[in-house]
Short mmCIF file of all heavy atoms in Angstrom, two decimals:
data_model
loop_
_atom_site.label_atom_id
_atom_site.label_comp_id
_atom_site.label_asym_id
_atom_site.label_seq_id
_atom_site.Cartn_x
_atom_site.Cartn_y
_atom_site.Cartn_z
N MET A 1 0.92 -1.18 0.03
CA MET A 1 -0.02 0.08 0.07
C MET A 1 0.82 1.26 0.00
O MET A 1 1.80 1.40 0.66
CB MET A 1 -0.85 -0.06 1.28
CG MET A 1 -2.22 0.82 1.04
SD MET A 1 -3.21 0.65 2.45
CE MET A 1 -3.64 2.39 2.59
N ASN A 2 0.56 2.07 -0.90
CA ASN A 2 1.33 3.37 -0.93
C ASN A 2 0.92 4.35 0.15
O ASN A 2 -0.26 4.61 0.46
CB ASN A 2 1.11 3.96 -2.36
CG ASN A 2 1.80 3.23 -3.38
OD1 ASN A 2 2.89 2.58 -3.28
ND2 ASN A 2 1.22 3.20 -4.60
N THR A 3 1.94 5.03 0.58
CA THR A 3 1.73 6.09 1.61
C THR A 3 1.31 7.43 0.77
O THR A 3 2.06 7.81 -0.04
CB THR A 3 3.00 6.38 2.46
OG1 THR A 3 3.36 5.14 2.89
CG2 THR A 3 2.61 7.32 3.61
N PRO A 4 0.23 8.01 1.17
CA PRO A 4 -0.15 9.31 0.43
C PRO A 4 0.94 10.41 0.56
O PRO A 4 1.45 10.51 1.70
CB PRO A 4 -1.42 9.62 1.09
CG PRO A 4 -1.90 8.45 1.85
CD PRO A 4 -0.69 7.69 2.16
N ARG A 5 1.24 11.13 -0.44
CA ARG A 5 2.20 12.08 -0.46
C ARG A 5 1.80 13.27 0.52
O ARG A 5 2.61 13.78 1.09
CB ARG A 5 2.39 12.59 -1.89
CG ARG A 5 3.81 13.21 -2.11
CD ARG A 5 3.82 13.96 -3.40
NE ARG A 5 4.93 14.78 -3.39
CZ ARG A 5 6.13 14.63 -4.00
NH1 ARG A 5 6.38 13.58 -4.60
NH2 ARG A 5 7.09 15.44 -3.93
N TYR A 6 0.62 13.62 0.35
CA TYR A 6 0.08 14.68 1.22
C TYR A 6 -0.85 14.06 2.34
O TYR A 6 -2.02 13.74 2.09
CB TYR A 6 -0.67 15.78 0.47
CG TYR A 6 0.37 16.36 -0.49
CD1 TYR A 6 0.21 16.05 -1.87
CD2 TYR A 6 1.30 17.24 -0.11
CE1 TYR A 6 1.07 16.65 -2.82
CE2 TYR A 6 2.22 17.82 -1.01
CZ TYR A 6 1.99 17.45 -2.32
OH TYR A 6 2.91 18.13 -3.36
N GLY A 7 -0.33 13.89 3.58
CA GLY A 7 -1.05 13.29 4.64
C GLY A 7 -2.09 14.22 5.26
O GLY A 7 -2.23 15.39 4.83
N VAL A 8 -2.68 13.76 6.38
CA VAL A 8 -3.68 14.49 7.08
C VAL A 8 -3.09 15.80 7.72
O VAL A 8 -3.59 16.82 7.72
CB VAL A 8 -4.32 13.64 8.13
CG1 VAL A 8 -5.44 14.43 8.87
CG2 VAL A 8 -5.03 12.41 7.44
N THR A 9 -1.85 15.65 8.20
CA THR A 9 -1.24 16.69 8.91
C THR A 9 -0.99 17.95 7.90
O THR A 9 -1.32 19.06 8.27
CB THR A 9 0.16 16.28 9.43
OG1 THR A 9 0.04 15.09 10.07
CG2 THR A 9 0.68 17.30 10.33
N THR A 10 -0.47 17.61 6.71
CA THR A 10 -0.26 18.68 5.71
C THR A 10 -1.55 19.43 5.32
O THR A 10 -1.74 20.57 5.31
CB THR A 10 0.34 18.10 4.54
OG1 THR A 10 1.46 17.38 4.83
CG2 THR A 10 0.89 19.30 3.54
N ARG A 11 -2.67 18.55 5.20
CA ARG A 11 -3.95 19.10 4.80
C ARG A 11 -4.45 20.02 5.84
O ARG A 11 -5.05 21.06 5.58
CB ARG A 11 -4.90 17.90 4.54
CG ARG A 11 -5.74 18.19 3.22
CD ARG A 11 -6.67 17.00 2.95
NE ARG A 11 -5.96 15.73 2.63
CZ ARG A 11 -6.47 14.60 2.92
NH1 ARG A 11 -7.61 14.49 3.38
NH2 ARG A 11 -5.76 13.50 2.57
N LYS A 12 -4.24 19.59 7.17
CA LYS A 12 -4.78 20.42 8.30
C LYS A 12 -4.10 21.71 8.33
O LYS A 12 -4.77 22.76 8.60
CB LYS A 12 -4.67 19.66 9.52
CG LYS A 12 -5.82 18.72 9.94
CD LYS A 12 -5.65 18.12 11.31
CE LYS A 12 -6.94 17.24 11.66
NZ LYS A 12 -6.65 16.44 12.81
N LYS A 13 -2.75 21.69 8.10
CA LYS A 13 -2.04 22.87 8.13
C LYS A 13 -2.47 23.92 7.11
O LYS A 13 -2.81 25.07 7.34
CB LYS A 13 -0.50 22.54 7.87
CG LYS A 13 0.37 22.99 8.96
CD LYS A 13 1.84 22.65 8.62
CE LYS A 13 2.56 22.01 9.71
NZ LYS A 13 3.85 21.52 9.41
N VAL A 14 -2.62 23.42 5.85
CA VAL A 14 -3.05 24.25 4.73
C VAL A 14 -4.45 24.83 5.14
O VAL A 14 -4.76 26.07 4.84
CB VAL A 14 -3.19 23.47 3.44
CG1 VAL A 14 -3.89 24.27 2.32
CG2 VAL A 14 -1.79 23.10 2.94
N GLU A 15 -5.40 24.07 5.71
CA GLU A 15 -6.74 24.49 6.01
C GLU A 15 -6.68 25.65 6.97
O GLU A 15 -7.34 26.52 6.88
CB GLU A 15 -7.45 23.34 6.62
CG GLU A 15 -8.76 22.96 5.82
CD GLU A 15 -9.34 21.65 6.17
OE1 GLU A 15 -9.67 21.51 7.40
OE2 GLU A 15 -9.35 20.79 5.40
N SER A 16 -5.75 25.45 8.04
CA SER A 16 -5.74 26.48 9.03
C SER A 16 -5.15 27.80 8.50
O SER A 16 -5.64 28.91 8.87
CB SER A 16 -4.90 26.08 10.24
OG SER A 16 -3.44 26.08 9.93
N ILE A 17 -4.24 27.76 7.55
CA ILE A 17 -3.72 28.94 6.95
C ILE A 17 -4.85 29.64 6.17
O ILE A 17 -5.14 30.85 6.12
CB ILE A 17 -2.48 28.67 6.06
CG1 ILE A 17 -1.37 28.14 6.93
CG2 ILE A 17 -2.13 29.91 5.15
CD1 ILE A 17 -0.32 27.52 6.19
N ARG A 18 -5.58 28.82 5.37
CA ARG A 18 -6.66 29.26 4.51
C ARG A 18 -7.77 29.90 5.42
O ARG A 18 -8.38 30.98 5.02
CB ARG A 18 -7.25 28.08 3.77
CG ARG A 18 -7.70 28.66 2.34
CD ARG A 18 -8.30 27.43 1.63
NE ARG A 18 -7.29 26.67 0.89
CZ ARG A 18 -7.50 25.43 0.46
NH1 ARG A 18 -8.79 24.96 0.49
NH2 ARG A 18 -6.60 24.75 -0.08
N MET A 19 -8.06 29.27 6.53
CA MET A 19 -9.05 29.82 7.41
C MET A 19 -8.73 31.30 7.92
O MET A 19 -9.56 32.08 7.91
CB MET A 19 -9.21 28.95 8.64
CG MET A 19 -9.98 27.61 8.33
SD MET A 19 -11.79 27.99 8.53
CE MET A 19 -12.03 27.90 10.25
N LYS A 20 -7.45 31.44 8.22
CA LYS A 20 -6.97 32.74 8.75
C LYS A 20 -7.13 33.80 7.66
O LYS A 20 -7.67 34.95 7.96
CB LYS A 20 -5.48 32.60 9.10
CG LYS A 20 -5.25 32.45 10.63
CD LYS A 20 -3.73 32.52 11.00
CE LYS A 20 -3.57 31.90 12.43
NZ LYS A 20 -2.24 31.56 12.67
N SER A 21 -6.74 33.55 6.51
CA SER A 21 -6.68 34.63 5.46
C SER A 21 -8.10 34.82 4.83
O SER A 21 -8.31 35.92 4.31
CB SER A 21 -5.70 34.24 4.32
OG SER A 21 -6.12 32.95 3.77
N SER A 22 -9.00 33.85 5.08
CA SER A 22 -10.28 34.01 4.60
C SER A 22 -11.28 34.36 5.65
O SER A 22 -12.53 34.24 5.41
CB SER A 22 -10.77 32.87 3.66
OG SER A 22 -10.81 31.74 4.47
N GLN A 23 -10.85 34.67 6.80
CA GLN A 23 -11.67 34.92 7.85
C GLN A 23 -12.60 36.19 7.60
O GLN A 23 -12.13 37.16 7.01
CB GLN A 23 -10.92 35.20 9.12
CG GLN A 23 -11.50 34.76 10.38
CD GLN A 23 -10.66 35.04 11.59
OE1 GLN A 23 -9.44 35.06 11.49
NE2 GLN A 23 -11.30 35.21 12.74
N ARG A 24 -13.77 36.24 8.10
CA ARG A 24 -14.60 37.43 7.80
C ARG A 24 -14.57 38.35 8.96
O ARG A 24 -14.61 37.97 10.05
CB ARG A 24 -16.10 36.85 7.54
CG ARG A 24 -16.16 36.22 6.22
CD ARG A 24 -17.62 35.90 5.88
NE ARG A 24 -17.61 35.30 4.60
CZ ARG A 24 -18.77 34.84 3.97
NH1 ARG A 24 -19.99 34.95 4.63
NH2 ARG A 24 -18.82 34.33 2.79
N TYR A 25 -14.68 39.57 8.56
CA TYR A 25 -14.66 40.64 9.71
C TYR A 25 -15.77 41.50 9.56
O TYR A 25 -16.55 41.59 8.55
CB TYR A 25 -13.36 41.40 9.50
CG TYR A 25 -12.16 40.69 9.84
CD1 TYR A 25 -11.40 39.85 8.90
CD2 TYR A 25 -11.64 40.77 11.18
CE1 TYR A 25 -10.33 39.18 9.25
CE2 TYR A 25 -10.53 40.04 11.49
CZ TYR A 25 -9.88 39.32 10.54
OH TYR A 25 -8.80 38.62 10.96
N LYS A 26 -16.08 42.23 10.60
CA LYS A 26 -17.26 43.08 10.69
C LYS A 26 -17.18 44.31 9.79
O LYS A 26 -16.20 44.96 9.95
CB LYS A 26 -17.54 43.45 12.11
CG LYS A 26 -18.93 43.90 12.43
CD LYS A 26 -19.04 44.08 13.93
CE LYS A 26 -20.48 44.61 14.30
NZ LYS A 26 -20.53 44.85 15.73
N CYS A 27 -18.12 44.61 9.09
CA CYS A 27 -18.16 45.78 8.24
C CYS A 27 -18.59 46.93 9.00
O CYS A 27 -19.56 46.92 9.84
CB CYS A 27 -19.17 45.58 7.06
SG CYS A 27 -19.37 47.03 6.15
N PRO A 28 -17.82 48.05 9.02
CA PRO A 28 -18.05 49.20 9.85
C PRO A 28 -19.35 50.03 9.34
O PRO A 28 -19.89 50.85 10.10
CB PRO A 28 -16.85 50.10 9.68
CG PRO A 28 -16.18 49.73 8.40
CD PRO A 28 -16.48 48.19 8.25
N ARG A 29 -19.77 49.68 8.14
CA ARG A 29 -20.91 50.44 7.62
C ARG A 29 -22.23 49.69 7.81
O ARG A 29 -23.09 50.17 8.46
CB ARG A 29 -20.71 50.62 6.04
CG ARG A 29 -21.70 51.66 5.48
CD ARG A 29 -21.81 51.49 4.04
NE ARG A 29 -20.87 52.33 3.33
CZ ARG A 29 -20.59 52.27 2.00
NH1 ARG A 29 -21.22 51.31 1.33
NH2 ARG A 29 -19.74 53.03 1.47
N CYS A 30 -22.25 48.37 7.47
CA CYS A 30 -23.48 47.68 7.57
C CYS A 30 -23.55 46.65 8.65
O CYS A 30 -24.57 46.06 8.94
CB CYS A 30 -23.90 47.01 6.23
SG CYS A 30 -22.69 45.72 5.74
N LYS A 31 -22.43 46.69 9.53
CA LYS A 31 -22.36 45.87 10.69
C LYS A 31 -22.65 44.38 10.57
O LYS A 31 -22.94 43.65 11.39
CB LYS A 31 -23.31 46.34 11.70
CG LYS A 31 -23.35 47.89 11.99
CD LYS A 31 -22.09 48.41 12.62
CE LYS A 31 -22.08 49.88 12.85
NZ LYS A 31 -20.76 50.42 13.09
N THR A 32 -22.36 43.81 9.33
CA THR A 32 -22.38 42.41 9.09
C THR A 32 -21.08 41.82 8.95
O THR A 32 -20.21 42.56 8.52
CB THR A 32 -23.33 42.07 7.86
OG1 THR A 32 -22.75 42.81 6.69
CG2 THR A 32 -24.68 42.59 8.05
N PHE A 33 -20.90 40.53 9.23
CA PHE A 33 -19.63 39.96 9.11
C PHE A 33 -19.43 39.55 7.65
O PHE A 33 -19.41 38.36 7.27
CB PHE A 33 -19.44 38.86 10.07
CG PHE A 33 -19.21 39.32 11.44
CD1 PHE A 33 -20.35 39.59 12.29
CD2 PHE A 33 -17.87 39.43 11.97
CE1 PHE A 33 -20.12 40.02 13.57
CE2 PHE A 33 -17.75 39.90 13.27
CZ PHE A 33 -18.78 40.12 13.96
N SER A 34 -19.31 40.53 6.77
CA SER A 34 -19.18 40.20 5.33
C SER A 34 -17.87 40.75 4.75
O SER A 34 -17.62 40.77 3.43
CB SER A 34 -20.45 40.78 4.50
OG SER A 34 -21.49 40.36 5.13
N MET A 35 -17.00 41.30 5.62
CA MET A 35 -15.61 41.74 5.10
C MET A 35 -14.84 40.64 4.64
O MET A 35 -14.53 39.72 5.39
CB MET A 35 -15.05 42.66 6.15
CG MET A 35 -15.76 43.89 6.61
SD MET A 35 -16.04 45.03 5.22
CE MET A 35 -14.45 45.74 5.10
N LYS A 36 -14.31 40.68 3.42
CA LYS A 36 -13.37 39.59 2.95
C LYS A 36 -12.15 40.17 2.33
O LYS A 36 -12.29 41.22 1.69
CB LYS A 36 -14.06 38.68 1.91
CG LYS A 36 -14.98 37.62 2.54
CD LYS A 36 -15.29 36.53 1.64
CE LYS A 36 -14.24 35.39 1.58
NZ LYS A 36 -14.49 34.30 0.65
N ARG A 37 -11.06 39.61 2.53
CA ARG A 37 -9.77 40.07 1.96
C ARG A 37 -9.80 39.81 0.46
O ARG A 37 -9.97 38.76 0.00
CB ARG A 37 -8.62 39.35 2.59
CG ARG A 37 -7.39 40.09 2.52
CD ARG A 37 -6.27 39.35 3.38
NE ARG A 37 -5.81 38.21 2.62
CZ ARG A 37 -4.69 38.23 1.86
NH1 ARG A 37 -3.91 39.28 1.84
NH2 ARG A 37 -4.24 37.17 1.15
N ILE A 38 -9.65 41.04 -0.29
CA ILE A 38 -9.69 40.87 -1.73
C ILE A 38 -8.18 40.85 -2.21
O ILE A 38 -7.92 40.33 -3.27
CB ILE A 38 -10.47 41.93 -2.35
CG1 ILE A 38 -10.14 43.35 -1.89
CG2 ILE A 38 -11.95 41.61 -2.23
CD1 ILE A 38 -10.84 44.43 -2.77
N SER A 39 -7.31 41.51 -1.58
CA SER A 39 -5.90 41.41 -1.79
C SER A 39 -5.18 41.96 -0.64
O SER A 39 -5.72 42.33 0.39
CB SER A 39 -5.58 42.40 -3.05
OG SER A 39 -5.73 43.73 -2.74
N SER A 40 -3.82 42.00 -0.69
CA SER A 40 -3.05 42.28 0.41
C SER A 40 -3.34 43.78 0.98
O SER A 40 -3.10 44.72 0.39
CB SER A 40 -1.51 42.21 0.04
OG SER A 40 -0.71 42.56 1.14
N GLY A 41 -3.88 43.70 2.20
CA GLY A 41 -4.28 44.98 2.83
C GLY A 41 -5.53 45.59 2.28
O GLY A 41 -5.90 46.68 2.84
N LEU A 42 -6.34 44.90 1.52
CA LEU A 42 -7.64 45.41 1.07
C LEU A 42 -8.74 44.56 1.52
O LEU A 42 -8.61 43.24 1.14
CB LEU A 42 -7.59 45.65 -0.54
CG LEU A 42 -7.06 46.97 -0.97
CD1 LEU A 42 -7.15 47.08 -2.49
CD2 LEU A 42 -7.86 48.18 -0.38
N TRP A 43 -9.71 45.07 1.94
CA TRP A 43 -10.88 44.21 2.49
C TRP A 43 -12.16 44.79 1.85
O TRP A 43 -12.34 46.06 1.78
CB TRP A 43 -10.97 44.33 4.03
CG TRP A 43 -9.69 43.81 4.72
CD1 TRP A 43 -8.61 44.39 4.85
CD2 TRP A 43 -9.66 42.50 5.27
NE1 TRP A 43 -7.66 43.55 5.53
CE2 TRP A 43 -8.35 42.36 5.83
CE3 TRP A 43 -10.50 41.39 5.42
CZ2 TRP A 43 -7.82 41.23 6.52
CZ3 TRP A 43 -10.05 40.23 6.04
CH2 TRP A 43 -8.75 40.13 6.55
N LYS A 44 -12.92 43.94 1.42
CA LYS A 44 -14.23 44.34 0.84
C LYS A 44 -15.47 43.72 1.46
O LYS A 44 -15.47 42.53 1.75
CB LYS A 44 -14.23 44.12 -0.78
CG LYS A 44 -15.37 44.75 -1.39
CD LYS A 44 -15.34 44.47 -2.92
CE LYS A 44 -16.44 45.24 -3.59
NZ LYS A 44 -16.43 44.91 -5.13
N CYS A 45 -16.48 44.55 1.64
CA CYS A 45 -17.75 44.08 2.26
C CYS A 45 -18.56 43.44 1.12
O CYS A 45 -18.90 44.10 0.04
CB CYS A 45 -18.45 45.10 2.94
SG CYS A 45 -20.00 44.62 3.57
N LYS A 46 -18.90 42.21 1.29
CA LYS A 46 -19.70 41.58 0.28
C LYS A 46 -21.14 42.07 0.19
O LYS A 46 -21.88 41.93 -0.75
CB LYS A 46 -19.78 40.04 0.51
CG LYS A 46 -18.57 39.36 -0.09
CD LYS A 46 -18.59 37.88 0.23
CE LYS A 46 -19.47 37.12 -0.78
NZ LYS A 46 -19.52 35.63 -0.53
N LYS A 47 -21.60 42.67 1.35
CA LYS A 47 -23.00 43.14 1.36
C LYS A 47 -23.11 44.51 0.82
O LYS A 47 -24.01 44.67 -0.03
CB LYS A 47 -23.37 43.14 2.83
CG LYS A 47 -24.92 43.18 3.02
CD LYS A 47 -25.41 42.17 4.06
CE LYS A 47 -26.91 42.03 4.05
NZ LYS A 47 -27.37 40.96 4.96
N CYS A 48 -22.37 45.52 1.28
CA CYS A 48 -22.57 46.85 0.86
C CYS A 48 -21.44 47.39 -0.08
O CYS A 48 -21.63 48.42 -0.63
CB CYS A 48 -22.73 47.84 2.06
SG CYS A 48 -21.15 47.97 2.94
N GLY A 49 -20.45 46.59 -0.30
CA GLY A 49 -19.38 46.90 -1.25
C GLY A 49 -18.32 47.89 -0.82
O GLY A 49 -17.45 48.36 -1.50
N LEU A 50 -18.30 48.18 0.53
CA LEU A 50 -17.31 49.01 1.15
C LEU A 50 -15.96 48.38 1.13
O LEU A 50 -15.70 47.25 1.40
CB LEU A 50 -17.72 49.32 2.65
CG LEU A 50 -16.83 50.20 3.44
CD1 LEU A 50 -16.94 51.64 3.00
CD2 LEU A 50 -17.00 50.00 4.88
N VAL A 51 -15.02 49.22 0.63
CA VAL A 51 -13.63 48.70 0.57
C VAL A 51 -12.82 49.36 1.63
O VAL A 51 -12.76 50.61 1.73
CB VAL A 51 -12.92 48.93 -0.85
CG1 VAL A 51 -11.52 48.41 -0.88
CG2 VAL A 51 -13.76 48.12 -1.84
N VAL A 52 -12.08 48.61 2.47
CA VAL A 52 -11.28 49.17 3.51
C VAL A 52 -9.81 48.71 3.34
O VAL A 52 -9.52 47.50 3.15
CB VAL A 52 -11.83 48.71 4.89
CG1 VAL A 52 -10.88 49.23 6.06
CG2 VAL A 52 -13.17 49.31 5.14
N ALA A 53 -8.80 49.71 3.53
CA ALA A 53 -7.43 49.39 3.49
C ALA A 53 -6.93 49.08 4.93
O ALA A 53 -7.17 49.87 5.77
CB ALA A 53 -6.61 50.47 2.91
N SER A 54 -6.35 47.96 5.13
CA SER A 54 -5.90 47.60 6.57
C SER A 54 -4.63 46.69 6.41
O SER A 54 -3.92 46.72 5.35
CB SER A 54 -7.09 46.90 7.34
OG SER A 54 -6.56 46.81 8.70
N ASP A 55 -4.28 46.01 7.50
CA ASP A 55 -3.14 45.16 7.54
C ASP A 55 -3.39 44.04 6.46
O ASP A 55 -4.44 43.82 6.07
CB ASP A 55 -3.01 44.49 8.84
CG ASP A 55 -2.82 45.50 9.88
OD1 ASP A 55 -2.34 46.65 9.61
OD2 ASP A 55 -3.01 45.21 11.09
N ALA A 56 -2.17 43.50 6.09
CA ALA A 56 -2.25 42.43 5.03
C ALA A 56 -3.10 41.19 5.45
O ALA A 56 -3.69 40.62 4.62
CB ALA A 56 -0.85 42.11 4.66
N TYR A 57 -2.99 40.81 6.66
CA TYR A 57 -3.64 39.49 7.14
C TYR A 57 -4.61 39.66 8.11
O TYR A 57 -5.16 38.66 8.62
CB TYR A 57 -2.56 38.54 7.43
CG TYR A 57 -1.74 38.15 6.23
CD1 TYR A 57 -0.39 38.62 6.03
CD2 TYR A 57 -2.34 37.30 5.21
CE1 TYR A 57 0.34 38.33 4.98
CE2 TYR A 57 -1.52 36.91 4.16
CZ TYR A 57 -0.29 37.46 3.94
OH TYR A 57 0.46 37.08 2.87
N SER A 58 -4.84 40.79 8.72
CA SER A 58 -5.83 41.07 9.75
C SER A 58 -6.56 42.32 9.55
O SER A 58 -6.06 43.13 8.73
CB SER A 58 -5.21 40.86 11.07
OG SER A 58 -4.32 41.97 11.26
N MET A 59 -7.58 42.59 10.29
CA MET A 59 -8.23 43.82 10.11
C MET A 59 -8.65 44.40 11.47
O MET A 59 -8.95 43.69 12.41
CB MET A 59 -9.52 43.53 9.30
CG MET A 59 -9.84 44.69 8.38
SD MET A 59 -11.23 44.34 7.40
CE MET A 59 -12.46 44.44 8.52
N SER A 60 -8.48 45.67 11.62
CA SER A 60 -8.75 46.34 12.89
C SER A 60 -9.96 47.24 12.82
O SER A 60 -10.19 48.03 13.71
CB SER A 60 -7.51 47.16 13.31
OG SER A 60 -7.13 48.02 12.31
N VAL A 61 -10.74 47.08 11.76
CA VAL A 61 -11.87 47.92 11.59
C VAL A 61 -12.84 47.89 12.65
O VAL A 61 -13.41 48.94 13.09
CB VAL A 61 -12.63 47.53 10.24
CG1 VAL A 61 -13.97 48.12 10.10
CG2 VAL A 61 -11.77 48.03 9.02
N GLU A 62 -13.07 46.65 13.37
CA GLU A 62 -13.94 46.60 14.40
C GLU A 62 -13.72 47.50 15.62
O GLU A 62 -14.47 47.83 16.29
CB GLU A 62 -13.96 45.11 14.81
CG GLU A 62 -15.38 44.70 15.25
CD GLU A 62 -15.42 43.19 15.64
OE1 GLU A 62 -14.53 42.51 15.21
OE2 GLU A 62 -16.34 42.77 16.39
N LYS A 63 -12.39 47.87 15.79
CA LYS A 63 -12.02 48.65 16.94
C LYS A 63 -12.27 50.16 16.69
O LYS A 63 -12.36 50.89 17.64
CB LYS A 63 -10.60 48.45 17.13
CG LYS A 63 -10.21 47.16 17.72
CD LYS A 63 -8.71 46.96 17.78
CE LYS A 63 -8.38 45.47 18.04
NZ LYS A 63 -7.01 45.17 17.71
N ILE A 64 -12.48 50.52 15.39
CA ILE A 64 -12.63 51.96 15.16
C ILE A 64 -14.04 52.50 15.67
O ILE A 64 -15.00 51.75 15.39
CB ILE A 64 -12.51 52.24 13.66
CG1 ILE A 64 -11.10 51.82 13.12
CG2 ILE A 64 -12.97 53.69 13.31
CD1 ILE A 64 -10.99 51.70 11.62
ZN1 ZN B 1 -20.86 46.45 4.64
#
């Protein structure tokens, strides 16, 4: 039996990285968790279309 090249451990790692970068944040305009990272430092609200510039991998909008 062949050992799979990409085991469960690797898959879990990739998943956690993807979860972090695709995490949703609260939109300061419509107050829904629809903010998604569209590129490095740019976040866009899927609901109202608001674009916010922030950190590359996190967002501090909720604190404002
Ligand atoms: Zn919004």
Side-chain angles (χ1 to χ4, degrees):
M1 208 178 130
N2 290 327
T3 311
R5 203 189 164 100
Y6 298 105
V8 179
T9 314
T10 312
R11 224 178 296 153
K12 267 187 185 169
K13 238 182 225 174
V14 171
E15 240 166 64
S16 73
I17 292 166
R18 212 181 281 166
M19 283 278 282
K20 258 183 199 168
S21 58
S22 64
Q23 212 179 334
R24 286 183 180 184
Y25 289 88
K26 197 175 179 183
C27 172
R29 192 199 272 169
C30 64
K31 312 291 182 198
T32 57
F33 286 87
S34 306
M35 297 298 285
K36 279 199 87 180
R37 205 173 74 98
I38 50 170
S39 69
S40 180
L42 271 181
W43 299 78
K44 191 179 184 181
C45 176
K46 276 178 83 183
K47 196 136 191 176
C48 68
L50 178 75
V51 177
V52 174
S54 189
D55 299 341
Y57 294 103
S58 63
M59 215 174 73
S60 51
V61 163
E62 215 175 337
K63 291 172 192 165
I64 298 167

